[in-house]
Amino acid sequence: MDLEERRHLPLFSIGTVQKLTGLSARQIRYYEEQGLISPKRSEGKQRQFSFVDVERLMTIRQWMENGESLHTIRKRMKENVLSKTVRDLSDEEVYQQIQRELLEGRSASAQSLFLGDLSRFYRKR
């Protein structure tokens, strides 16, 4: 099982996700109803969240705190799914994108394609 498959394993209960994200159970269920996350269900129908779900919820929370509307967040999530992921980019493409972001002067609150993904710089060569 590779790292990406492990990131999608349903491991966390809603209580654990509440502690990790700072969101209430009601907020988490609402974001699920809105189609922003899709946690797996256990045989007993309990939600089980993956690392990917938790990261997505933390991103949603950050955007909401920055004043984004739910409509805008839904649109941004859809764009992120349709765009290439960081893992699909070559090192040269990553370098060029980071350079563009720095030259544009994106603020720290702006969502970068590379936010939190430094693993590519620690690869075994």
Side-chain angles (χ1 to χ4, degrees), residues 3-17:
L3 182 61
E4 191 58 30
E5 289 173 327
R6 290 178 190 193
R7 292 182 73 233
H8 287 279
L9 283 175
L11 300 172
F12 305 110
S13 67
I14 196 164
T16 303
V17 173

Side-chain angles (χ1 to χ4, degrees), residues 67-80:
E68 302 274 347
S69 69
L70 192 58
H71 174 74
T72 304
I73 291 172
R74 192 177 298 114
K75 183 178 172 185
R76 288 176 78 174
M77 289 286 185
K78 186 175 181 181
E79 289 171 358
N80 284 344

